[in-house]
Amino acid sequence: MKKYLLPSVMVLLAGCKDQKKQDTTSKSEVATQTDTLKLPAPDEKGAKNKFSNVIGWPAGKAPTAPEGFTVTRFAENIKSPRNMIQAPNGDVFVVLSNSERSATEKVKNDISGKSGAEVNGKSANRILVYRDADKDGIPETSSVFLDNLNQPYGMLIIKDKFYVANTDGLWMYPYQQGELKISQPGKKILNLPAGGYNNHWTRNLIANKDQSKIYVSVGSGSNVGENGMENEVRRANILEINPDGSGEVIFASGLRNPVGMSWNPATGALWTVVNERDELGDELVPDYLTSVKKGAFYGWPYAYFGNHEDPRRKGERPDLVAKTIVPDVPLGAHTASLGLAFYTGTQFPQKYKNGAFIGQHGSWNRSSLAGYQVAFVPFANGKASGSYEPFLTGFIADKEKGDVYGRPVGVLQLADGSLLVADDVSGIVWRVSYSKK
């Protein structure tokens, strides 16, 4: 598989004098690219939009994976699958949710240029459960596990509790492993701020190793704080709480729209993927994958990629600009990197061990499409050892026309080492497996 280095940004590697030398850069050099990343100047007047047109997957067609991998349909004909988790007994939970907007609302920044009702209609707002009892990669049963939710995204199981992060709050339900439907009423244990720019509605969940803490991702309510920072309280953050919803602290801030979260298997550190800001030109600002340090500030809305000050917030908070953390791995501007899963299985080849799979939902705020793939970032000794590279592709049908078959979101490694990919606009969950010839 051909590897490419940071499309959508200008990169200068120390000592790199020609393309040939760049293509043969050693892994140790590549791993330090964020230190040598050269970004173009912000261009507020140069922002361009190109919206994708979803045409759906023809019968018998599937995304393309590297040689040796097989891509099949784990689930299909469902409405906007976004995120997934697997229970200890093997049950797979799939959340169905999309941005809700009225058919008459004019939405400048909707991903397709149309209102949510015109694109996907009313959000399904439910969780489905799939059971593959014989473990052949084809679930024998599926059913509605939980219904009547409010734009759910994050799910989590801790002992006898099932957690769901709606866009406006975290709910906790009684749960026994193997149950195919929640039958007892839940309890809202945490209010969360909702609404805002392009909705940034997803609220994801992850627990630490001993399950004593839950981490909740909350995106910003605006592009770059244009509605006033008084409306951004508890937003653009990852929150840390106790399992009962108490003890909230801001674990990390300045994260414009963190969605995917996963634990680095080598270091135990929390990592996330972040959607960065819009309307500064095609090449700004790169989305990124980064470790999340407790108490750290990652720039939004005042700065990006370290002390690059956003011209729209110029001079407002030099103190925060100066303390902005440089993220670990740039992922290309406007790629809408949403899903994240570190690979700890043994089914895939060794190169994927401990690396990160990233669901890139795809761009709208640039002159040509970017993202629309599942990318992979190799890791060694707990650190990124290379740039992101394509893993699951073929989602774009015609780049010039903007036609796409689908748009990947959540990624989940199953217990057997295969990978699930939620393709929301096509209503399909793909399964990627590997077998040696």
Side-chain angles (χ1 to χ4, degrees):
M1 185 198 322
K2 185 176 179 180
K3 184 181 292 186
Y4 59 92
L5 299 180
L6 305 174
S8 308
V9 295
M10 295 170 58
V11 178
L12 177 64
L13 296 177
C16 178
K17 296 182 179 179
D18 54 42
Q19 184 64 40
K20 181 177 180 181
K21 186 169 183 179
Q22 179 172 321
D23 288 344
T24 58
T25 303
S26 71
K27 285 188 175 181
S28 60
E29 289 174 307
V30 172
T32 62
Q33 283 183 1
T34 52
D35 297 327
T36 56
L37 181 67
K38 300 298 181 183
L39 298 173
D43 184 4
E44 296 177 69
K45 296 181 179 180
K48 299 178 177 65
N49 294 346
K50 186 178 180 68
F51 300 112
S52 61
N53 173 44
V54 180
I55 62 175
W57 291 92
K61 190 171 181 62
T64 303
E67 185 177 356
F69 288 88
T70 301
V71 182
T72 56
R73 300 187 184 208
F74 180 84
E76 57 184 328
N77 300 317
I78 52 180
K79 192 171 185 178
S80 198
R82 300 282 298 189
N83 193 24
M84 304 157 295
I85 63 170
Q86 186 174 33
N89 73 328
D91 286 347
V92 173
F93 297 92
V94 179
V95 67
L96 309 184
S97 187
N98 59 269
S99 174
E100 291 208 43
R101 290 167 175 152
S102 70
T104 58
E105 181 184 3
K106 184 178 180 182
V107 184
K108 175 183 177 184
N109 289 323
D110 190 272
I111 55 175
S112 66
K114 302 178 181 179
S115 75
E118 290 173 306
V119 180
N120 287 322
K122 186 176 176 62
S123 182
N125 287 330
R126 64 178 48 150
I127 296 171
L128 303 182
V129 57
Y130 290 84
R131 180 165 293 173
D132 176 17
D134 61 8
K135 297 179 171 47
D136 65 351
I138 304 172
E140 294 84 29
T141 65
S142 66
S143 58
V144 176
F145 180 72
L146 190 56
D147 211 347
N148 300 313
L149 301 169
N150 182 19
Q151 291 183 270
Y153 190 87
M155 299 172 288
L156 183 64
I157 296 171
I158 296 181
K159 299 177 182 176
D160 61 350
K161 299 292 188 292
F162 193 98
Y163 294 82
V164 180
N166 287 327
T167 193
D168 61 352
L170 177 59
W171 285 72
M172 180 176 69
Y173 297 85
Y175 167 73
Q176 293 298 321
Q177 186 170 272
E179 284 185 331
L180 295 176
K181 186 176 180 64
I182 290 289
S183 56
Q184 299 182 55
K187 176 184 178 183
K188 191 176 187 179
I189 62 171
L190 183 71
N191 287 313
L192 293 171
Y197 174 87
N198 221 16
N199 273 6
H200 285 185
W201 57 270
T202 53
R203 308 288 178 257
N204 204 9
L205 300 174
I206 194 170
N208 61 358
K209 187 175 182 180
D210 67 6
Q211 300 185 324
S212 63
K213 297 291 182 181
I214 296 174
Y215 300 85
V216 186
S217 66
V218 184
S220 70
S222 61
N223 180 31
V224 65
E226 63 272 15
N227 299 324
M229 293 305 290
E230 68 274 10
N231 295 313
E232 300 290 348
V233 176
R234 299 172 68 227
R235 301 199 67 153
N237 296 326
I238 292 178
L239 308 176
E240 180 189 76
I241 60 172
N242 297 321
D244 64 359
S246 67
E248 178 186 314
V249 297
I250 295 175
F251 186 78
S253 60
L255 298 156
R256 179 178 176 270
N257 190 25
V259 182
M261 295 185 289
S262 188
W263 298 105
N264 186 315
T267 67
L270 180 63
W271 283 62
T272 189
V273 284
V274 176
N275 290 190
E276 257 292 355
R277 65 206 75 193
D278 300 320
E279 300 178 353
L280 288 181
D282 273 8
E283 313 302 336
L284 289 180
V285 172
D287 291 350
Y288 58 84
L289 166 69
T290 192
S291 56
V292 184
K293 301 174 177 65
K294 187 171 185 177
F297 178 72
Y298 289 83
W300 189 87
Y302 307 104
Y304 54 87
F305 261 86
N307 60 2
H308 294 88
E309 189 173 39
D310 192 302
R312 296 162 293 190
R313 314 296 307 197
K314 188 173 178 63
E316 292 183 13
R317 291 298 303 269
D319 56 326
L320 292 179
V321 172
K323 68 182 291 188
T324 297
I325 297 289
V326 179
D328 291 274
V329 184
L331 297 173
H334 312 296
T335 54
S337 298
L338 297 174
L340 174 63
F342 278 99
Y343 189 78
T344 59
T346 58
Q347 184 183 127
F348 288 9
Q350 182 62 31
K351 72 163 285 184
Y352 297 101
K353 188 72 172 181
N354 293 341
F357 286 103
I358 298 159
Q360 297 189 315
H361 199 226
S363 64
W364 61 265
N365 185 222
R366 50 177 293 125
S367 57
S368 62
L369 301 184
Y372 299 93
Q373 65 175 0
V374 174
F376 175 74
V377 177
F379 272 66
N381 301 316
K383 296 181 179 180
S385 58
S387 297
Y388 76 109
E389 60 187 57
F391 174 74
L392 194 65
T393 60
F395 290 86
I396 298 176
D398 188 315
K399 192 169 185 177
E400 292 302 314
K401 291 182 179 179
D403 290 346
V404 300
Y405 297 119
R407 306 183 73 180
V409 189
V411 289
L412 171 69
Q413 178 203 307
L414 295 181
D416 67 359
S418 61
L419 193 74
L420 293 186
V421 177
D423 183 347
D424 64 339
V425 295
S426 72
I428 298 172
V429 175
W430 301 101
R431 180 177 181 264
V432 186
S433 57
Y434 181 85
S435 59
K436 296 179 180 179
K437 292 184 178 180

